[in-house]
């Protein structure tokens, strides 16, 4: 018996898109196994309509559709926000931290169903295959992982459409207009199509969560966001839970064209990809969180946290959520957030979120310390001794240079810049 026919039941991470739709009959045809679909509701909205019926029509024995939006925000989105993690200066990790949650619940469904395998629709060129599989390996390494894109003969979306037509699989993608999208409560990403050429301007019709800045209101709108210990709690003075926070900020940011990012990023597998992200509410949360941290974190903690944020972003992007290092970094971040409470105020206008005010009961900023007027706390004459000590290494090095060559190394001419006649 071949390896392919040793699988009895497989749980598939199912989105209802082209790739996962054709995977259902492909698994049955090539592995002879029962297929159970699992879909996580992370805020895809209308995309979930009719999904269970579609999965059954494609050949699945059943389909789980579970609302994980609250867990998504509380356990994955907000910890990443509190860490300040941003991948390659722009990407707010909307797809990255969704995958470990989907895979985590997929493993739990597989265990409940008595399945011996799980499958996903990530390609062999992308990051998601790593994110899914690292999670499975961390949570239940006994499960077999099937990645059809690394096995089958399908090599393009055209091939997938032909396979779908042959097996009577209902799909909505067409050859004329194909974008690979991932949407959840945090963002939407767009890849493929015209975006495969990074020189071409993205077509406006592609965007779904935000208006073009030039089409945004001609009058600015003021926005206030309150945080308590690093977590958002109010929008414009109105208390909301996590879901309400995101609904409100996505609507506000979207109508002002906030949060559009065009990025050529370095994938984990070693190639570059071009994508466009829309993260209206998330962008506002990051900016507000940063504004309050500016007030309450001391210099050394803030500077070290910036380093932690870079590493945290790499871990999330690389799918290393369920790792000891991520847990350890969370412990550090949690301590830094004890005093991150306060309010940030913005003026939103034509794609820009302009910070116009911030306040916190734990602010370390004191006007009476920072003023150029006379004060009783800071003696400006004390700066002389501080500068002498701070610059002592430079002074010692210059004195040694002068004793040897008669001039500081930074005064010596660079003869490589001179040309001989």
């Amino acid at each position: 018996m071949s390896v392919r026919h040793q699988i009895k039941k497989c749980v598939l991470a199912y989105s209802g898109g082209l790739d996962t739709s054709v995977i259902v009959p492909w698994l049955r045809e090539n592995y002879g196994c029962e297929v159970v679909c699992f879909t996580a509701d992370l805020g895809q909205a209308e995309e979930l309509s009719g999904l269970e019926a579609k999965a059954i029509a494609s050949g699945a024995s059943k389909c789980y559709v579970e609302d994980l939006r609250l867990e998504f925000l509380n356990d994955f989105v907000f910890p990443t926000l509190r860490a300040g993690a941003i991948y390659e200066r722009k990407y707010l990790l909307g797809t990255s931290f969704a995958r470990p949650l989907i895979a985590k619940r997929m493993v739990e469904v597989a265990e409940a169903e008595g399945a011996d395998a799980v499958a996903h629709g990530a390609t062999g060129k992308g990051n998601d295959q790593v994110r899914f599989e690292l999670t499975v390996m961390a949570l239940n390494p006994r499960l077999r992982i099937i990645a059809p894109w690394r096995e089958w003969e399908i090599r393009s979306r055209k091939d997938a459409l032909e396979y779908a037509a042959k097996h009577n699989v209902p799909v909505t993608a067409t050859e004329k207009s194909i974008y690979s999208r991932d949407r959840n409560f945090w963002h939407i990403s767009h890849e493929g199509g015209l975006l495969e050429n990074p020189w071409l301007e993205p077509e406006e019709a592609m965007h779904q969560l935000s208006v073009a800045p030039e089409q945004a209101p001609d009058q600015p709108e003021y926005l206030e966001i309150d945080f308590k210990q690093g977590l958002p709690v109010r929008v414009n003075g109105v208390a909301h839970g996590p879901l309400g926070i995101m609904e409100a900020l996505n609507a506000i940011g979207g109508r002002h064209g906030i949060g559009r990012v065009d990025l050529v990023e370095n994938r984990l597998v070693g190639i570059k990809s071009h994508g466009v992200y829309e993260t209206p509410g998330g962008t506002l949360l990051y900016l507000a969180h940063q504004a309050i941290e500016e007030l309450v974190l001391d210099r050394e903690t803030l500077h070290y946290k910036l380093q932690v944020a870079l590493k945290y972003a790499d871990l999330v992007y690389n799918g290393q959520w369920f790792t000891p290092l991520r847990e350890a970094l969370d412990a550090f971040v949690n301590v830094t957030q004890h005093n991150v409470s306060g309010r940030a105020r913005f003026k939103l206008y034509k794609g820009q979120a302009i910070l116009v005010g911030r306040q916190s009961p734990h602010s370390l900023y004191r006007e009476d310390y920072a003023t150029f007027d006379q004060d009783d706390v800071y003696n400006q004459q004390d700066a002389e001794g501080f500068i002498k000590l701070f610059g002592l290494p430079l002074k010692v090095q210059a004195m040694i240079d002068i004793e040897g060559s008669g001039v500081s190394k930074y005064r010596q001419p660079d003869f490589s810049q001179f040309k001989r006649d």
Side-chain angles (χ1 to χ4, degrees):
M1 180 181 294
S2 68
V3 175
R4 279 191 170 186
H5 291 86
Q6 292 177 4
I7 302 299
K8 295 180 181 179
K9 183 184 291 189
C10 180
V11 176
L12 168 66
Y14 181 74
S15 69
L18 175 60
D19 294 350
T20 56
S21 293
V22 299
I23 286 174
V24 176
W26 183 89
L27 285 171
R28 297 183 65 200
E29 183 177 49
N30 289 272
Y31 282 88
C33 62
E34 178 185 350
V35 180
V36 175
C37 290
F38 166 70
T39 301
D41 178 3
L42 302 182
Q44 300 94 309
E46 70 282 356
E47 296 178 13
L48 298 178
S49 177
L51 205 60
E52 183 175 359
K54 183 177 181 180
I56 301 300
S58 300
S61 62
K62 65 177 69 173
C63 180
Y64 291 80
V65 180
E66 298 186 359
D67 186 349
L68 301 180
R69 294 176 300 164
L70 194 57
E71 183 178 357
F72 176 51
L73 294 177
N74 283 334
D75 296 348
F76 293 83
V77 174
F78 290 163
T80 305
L81 165 68
R82 295 171 92 218
I86 301 174
Y87 185 72
E88 295 191 343
R89 298 176 289 191
K90 292 182 179 180
Y91 178 37
L92 300 187
L93 299 162
T95 296
S96 304
F97 47 41
R99 298 313 189 223
L101 173 57
I102 296 171
K104 168 181 173 289
R105 187 57 187 144
M106 180 173 62
V107 167
E108 294 169 349
V109 170
E111 292 169 346
E113 282 285 332
D116 46 1
V118 294
H120 61 77
T123 72
K125 287 185 176 181
N127 303 302
D128 282 343
Q129 58 182 336
V130 182
R131 297 163 183 158
F132 279 122
E133 296 182 30
L134 261 59
T135 300
V136 175
M137 293 165 66
L139 301 182
N140 189 340
R142 294 183 178 89
L143 287 170
R144 170 84 180 276
I145 301 172
I146 302 174
W149 271 102
R150 302 202 298 257
E151 297 183 27
W152 61 15
E153 299 301 319
I154 295 175
R155 288 292 176 266
S156 67
R157 294 195 175 275
K158 179 181 178 182
D159 293 343
L161 286 168
E162 292 175 353
Y163 189 94
K166 180 179 178 181
H167 292 80
N168 298 315
V169 175
V171 294
T172 57
T174 66
E175 289 186 67
K176 182 178 180 180
S177 178
I178 296 179
Y179 284 105
S180 176
R181 288 188 170 100
D182 178 73
R183 180 175 180 175
N184 57 45
F185 226 33
W186 184 250
H187 87 156
I188 187 169
S189 64
H190 311 271
E191 291 182 331
L194 296 176
L195 297 179
E196 291 185 353
N197 184 344
W199 178 251
L200 297 179
E201 180 180 1
E203 55 184 357
E204 184 55 38
M206 176 193 71
H207 297 91
Q208 297 187 3
L209 300 184
S210 59
V211 302
E214 59 268 27
Q215 295 174 349
D218 293 329
Q219 297 299 320
E221 177 179 354
Y222 284 85
L223 167 70
E224 293 184 357
I225 304 175
D226 285 64
F227 277 78
K228 183 176 182 179
Q229 294 191 333
L231 294 173
V233 292
R234 293 177 183 270
V235 174
N236 289 329
V238 179
H240 293 279
L243 299 180
I245 289 281
M246 291 311 305
E247 288 176 348
L249 291 179
N250 278 331
I252 295 171
R255 67 171 171 258
H256 288 279
I258 305 294
R260 290 186 176 189
V261 164
D262 189 312
L263 175 64
V264 174
E265 70 195 55
N266 290 291
R267 287 182 178 174
L268 176 60
V269 297
I271 60 177
K272 290 184 181 289
S273 64
H274 178 220
V276 170
Y277 301 103
E278 296 176 80
T279 319
T283 298
L284 293 170
L285 284 177
Y286 262 79
L287 292 173
H289 184 260
Q290 291 168 0
I292 298 171
E293 282 195 331
E294 290 174 3
L295 286 178
V296 304
L297 294 185
D298 65 274
R299 182 181 64 181
E300 296 303 317
T301 300
L302 177 59
H303 289 185
Y304 196 83
K305 188 172 183 289
L306 293 174
Q307 298 179 50
V308 168
L310 291 174
K311 185 60 179 178
Y312 203 104
D314 282 342
L315 290 176
V316 175
Y317 189 83
N318 296 343
Q320 296 170 298
W321 188 269
F322 295 102
T323 59
L325 179 55
R326 200 273 307 166
E327 290 183 317
L329 295 183
D330 268 344
F332 167 80
V333 170
N334 288 339
V335 172
T336 70
Q337 299 302 290
H338 288 169
N339 290 334
V340 183
S341 300
R343 176 177 299 166
R345 185 170 74 242
F346 297 92
K347 180 166 66 175
L348 310 181
Y349 183 69
K350 301 291 185 182
Q352 298 185 72
I354 305 167
L355 179 66
V356 294
R358 73 283 256 176
Q359 62 183 17
S360 170
H362 307 293
S363 175
L364 298 178
Y365 176 84
R366 288 284 300 271
E367 184 178 352
D368 52 346
Y369 293 178
T371 180
F372 285 99
D373 295 331
Q374 183 67 35
D375 65 81
D376 298 326
V377 176
Y378 188 93
N379 186 339
Q380 297 195 32
Q381 293 178 348
D382 293 341
E384 181 179 355
F386 165 74
I387 295 171
K388 286 182 177 179
L389 292 177
F390 191 64
L392 185 58
L394 303 178
K395 182 177 180 179
V396 170
Q397 181 64 56
M399 292 174 67
I400 293 174
D401 291 343
I402 292 172
E403 289 177 1
S405 63
V407 66
S408 167
K409 63 176 292 187
Y410 296 107
R411 299 292 301 276
Q412 296 174 1
D414 183 0
F415 293 103
S416 67
Q417 301 297 320
F418 295 91
K419 295 183 179 180
R420 294 183 178 179
D421 294 335

